[in-house]
Amino acid sequence: MKSLKIYNYFFVTNRSHNTLQSYHYYITMSRRPVNPARRFADGGSIPFVGSVQSKTRSSPFLSIGLLVVGAILLIGYLHYGSGGSTTVKEALSKVEGGSSCTLEVQRALPVLKKAYGDSMHKVLHVGPDTCSVVSKLLKEDDTQAWGVEPYDLDDADAGCKSLVQKGIVRVADIKFPLPYRAKSFSLVIVSDALDYLSPRYLNRTLPELARVSSDGVIIFSGYLGQQRAKVTELSKFGRPAKYRSSTWWIRYFVETKLEENEAAANKFEQASTKRSYKPACQVFHLRSLH
């Protein structure tokens, strides 16, 4: 018996244990070898051989079918693993290995709620694709949310444009003072924005984020050595991301007299352990300016 084996692997992260599992799909098609000496006197064809040849010719379609099923399973996993709806942009980012801390904020929301409690009732998110974070926050009970988009919104969808029209999301250059009064929000969450600022502008932006918050600032920053912005994104961000080590950030906080919120950091770590959550980005918890 000859076997035609088609293997297809899908790697899925188990949400409970963060372990890598492999789902192995195996299809075997077999055919009986034809004896050349065996002939029909009337020259007729052999039905069995004809059916096998048909199956053999259809094998490319089976491969395509498996790929389609795999894509469906992958998208289903992304939807399930994120705890909510998954956009095409999120799926492509994960498939391509992109490192988006804005997506990480959405994954971390249950942990943040556990760590900050009532402080999550009035939140400002600052960073690219802020509409996705704000939309998710607004679905939470007893939570108000606003957003600042540091870059253009040319490719915004209808939902995002609606948030802009309502004044919930604003497009603003974070290198300059934010258009909000002191302590306008309980928490400020910033992601994927500070990595594109030089220290000169960080000196302006971080104190400003601390000024408009009352209970703290949460920073989601990429790890040193993570994937940089793609060439097509440079026109949007203006410069490639400059990811910094945790040592650099801590030294910077000390130099600029920004205090770490140790109580919140400990609660976040405890909640992360209970939920088996491992951040894909660095997370820093700072106190507000009083």
Side-chain angles (χ1 to χ4, degrees):
M1 301 285 289
K2 294 183 179 179
S3 298
L4 173 62
K5 301 179 180 179
I6 301 176
Y7 294 87
N8 197 359
Y9 289 88
F10 298 96
F11 295 99
V12 180
T13 301
N14 185 293
R15 188 172 62 170
S16 301
H17 305 285
N18 287 318
T19 58
L20 195 64
Q21 299 178 338
S22 174
Y23 289 82
H24 182 193
Y25 292 83
Y26 171 83
I27 295 178
T28 302
M29 294 184 297
S30 61
R31 63 175 180 175
R32 180 178 302 170
V34 179
N35 186 350
R38 186 175 178 180
R39 297 287 186 270
F40 283 107
D42 57 359
S45 61
I46 304 176
F48 180 74
V49 174
S51 64
V52 170
Q53 291 175 343
S54 177
K55 290 182 180 179
T56 303
R57 286 193 298 269
S58 65
S59 60
F61 298 101
L62 289 175
S63 300
I64 295 173
L66 286 173
L67 291 175
V68 172
V69 171
I72 294 173
L73 289 174
L74 179 59
I75 294 174
Y77 155 69
L78 294 175
H79 173 89
Y80 179 76
S82 64
S85 61
T86 299
T87 64
V88 174
K89 183 183 295 185
E90 294 174 7
L92 289 176
S93 177
K94 292 186 178 183
V95 170
E96 295 175 357
S99 52
S100 170
C101 290
T102 295
L103 298 181
E104 193 61 29
V105 170
Q106 298 179 54
R107 287 186 59 234
L109 286 180
V111 180
L112 290 173
K113 289 188 67 176
K114 190 70 175 179
Y116 282 89
D118 293 339
S119 295
M120 288 288 291
H121 72 278
K122 197 172 184 181
V123 181
L124 173 69
H125 174 262
V126 179
D129 199 22
T130 189
C131 288
S132 63
V133 177
V134 172
S135 297
K136 196 159 189 175
L137 282 168
L138 291 175
K139 294 178 182 179
E140 301 288 337
D141 295 333
D142 302 323
T143 299
Q144 296 176 288
W146 291 264
V148 172
E149 171 63 58
Y151 309 104
D152 62 79
L153 286 172
D154 293 340
D155 57 348
D157 57 21
C160 185
K161 291 179 179 179
S162 175
L163 292 174
V164 173
Q165 291 174 354
K166 294 176 182 178
I168 297 175
V169 170
R170 294 188 180 188
V171 178
D173 192 337
I174 60 175
K175 295 190 294 292
F176 300 96
L178 295 175
Y180 302 107
R181 296 180 180 178
K183 300 181 181 180
S184 295
F185 311 95
S186 54
L187 281 178
V188 172
I189 303 174
V190 57
S191 61
D192 285 330
L194 302 183
D195 295 326
Y196 293 90
L197 296 181
S198 65
R200 172 189 174 187
Y201 290 114
L202 278 176
N203 293 337
R204 302 179 184 179
T205 301
L206 265 178
E208 188 68 7
L209 298 177
R211 179 187 69 83
V212 301
S213 66
S214 61
D215 296 336
V217 178
I218 307 169
I219 299 172
F220 282 74
S221 175
Y223 282 106
L224 187 66
Q226 273 187 335
Q227 180 178 335
R228 265 44 176 184
K230 300 171 186 175
V231 175
T232 54
E233 295 176 341
L234 292 180
S235 60
K236 178 177 181 179
F237 297 118
R239 53 176 291 172
K242 184 176 179 58
Y243 296 122
R244 294 136 173 147
S245 66
S246 59
T247 303
W248 187 95
W249 278 111
I250 292 172
R251 184 173 63 249
Y252 177 80
F253 297 148
V254 172
E255 292 174 354
T256 54
K257 298 180 180 181
L258 293 168
E259 299 179 10
E260 181 186 5
N261 190 337
E262 295 182 3
N266 290 335
K267 290 181 180 179
F268 181 83
E269 185 176 353
Q270 293 171 3
S272 298
T273 301
K274 289 182 179 180
R275 291 178 173 269
S276 298
Y277 167 71
K278 293 183 179 180
C281 298
Q282 299 182 90
V283 184
F284 301 100
H285 307 264
L286 301 180
R287 295 183 180 276
S288 301
L289 293 181
H290 297 291

